[in-house]
Amino acid sequence: TSIETVYKNLREKNFNDFKKNFEEINLKQITSDHKNKLLHMATEKGLDEFVVFLLDNGADPNSIRNDSLLEKAIDRGYHK
């Protein structure tokens, strides 16, 4: 499993495989930059389940560019 597989899972909106592959490689290959890029992609696609998972796993809520999704994240308690 590689980081490219995680990006592919997100693009294909396959949350179960995304979560499994993310957790499998998280400590080895997924940098904060990757987490934030994945978060941007998930917010742009409106993939709430992915957004919550990424925020729970260290993505920076301050990196979200979409104001309405940023508000959702803040409402759920994801802010610094």
Side-chain angles (χ1 to χ4, degrees), residues 2-67:
S2 68
I3 187 65
E4 290 81 17
T5 303
V6 174
Y7 280 100
K8 180 181 178 217
N9 296 147
L10 188 141
R11 284 191 306 273
E12 294 175 350
K13 301 177 185 178
N14 185 337
F15 181 72
N16 291 330
D17 285 348
F18 174 85
K19 182 178 175 185
K20 178 183 72 113
N21 291 322
F22 183 98
E23 290 172 344
E24 186 175 303
I25 66 170
N26 187 26
L27 296 177
K28 296 182 232 169
Q29 298 179 30
I30 301 182
T31 64
S32 60
D33 287 341
H34 284 302
K35 290 176 185 178
N36 294 336
K37 184 174 180 183
L38 288 163
L39 181 62
H40 286 252
M41 292 172 66
T43 57
E44 288 173 3
K45 294 179 180 293
L47 302 173
D48 290 350
E49 189 173 30
F50 288 79
V51 170
V52 171
F53 177 82
L54 288 162
L55 291 169
D56 284 344
N57 283 279
D60 182 2
N62 295 315
S63 71
I64 299 173
R65 296 180 193 150
N66 181 317
D67 288 341

